[in-house]
């Protein structure tokens, strides 16, 4: 499930701004306290929930109640999809049989 997306110069220069803060310090503190399978299962559940929400008017709502435009949402989705794919590739690499 490796997908590489080519983006033009404008997309490459765009800044990724998370809508929900990414708690690096909390995740590094809690590293190793949750089994990998449990964490991966939770992540898939979050993606399934995001898919459901992406089909509703709630897709334009920010956690603070503000809204984003369709163009802003497309940019945010593209940026975070690329980040998620990179992380999935890194997770999958050590658990994938080498091609012969």
């Amino acid at each position: 499930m490796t997908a590489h997306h080519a983006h033009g110069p404008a997309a490459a220069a765009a800044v990724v701004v998370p809508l929900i803060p990414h708690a690096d310090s909390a995740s590094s503190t809690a590293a190793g306290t949750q089994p990998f399978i449990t964490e991966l299962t939770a992540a898939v559940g979050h993606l399934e929930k995001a898919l459901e929400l992406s089909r509703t008017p709630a897709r334009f709502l920010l956690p603070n109640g503000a809204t984003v435009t369709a163009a802003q949402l497309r940019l945010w989705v593209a940026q975070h999809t690329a980040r998620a794919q990179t992380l999935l590739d890194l997770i999958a690499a050590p658990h994938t049989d080498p091609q012969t």
Side-chain angles (χ1 to χ4, degrees), residues 96-100:
T96 304
D97 291 332
Q99 300 295 321
T100 57

Side-chain angles (χ1 to χ4, degrees), residues 17-76:
V17 178
L19 296 179
I20 299 173
H22 180 57
D24 284 328
S25 59
S27 63
S28 61
T29 302
T33 61
Q34 208 54 321
F36 171 73
I37 296 297
T38 302
E39 198 64 28
L40 191 56
T41 302
V44 170
H46 289 300
L47 289 171
E48 289 170 341
K49 181 65 174 180
L51 176 61
E52 289 175 27
L53 291 171
S54 74
R55 297 175 174 152
T56 71
R59 69 186 174 272
F60 295 109
L61 293 177
L62 296 176
N64 66 2
T67 59
V68 295
T69 67
Q72 290 169 320
L73 182 60
R74 282 191 299 274
L75 177 61
W76 190 88

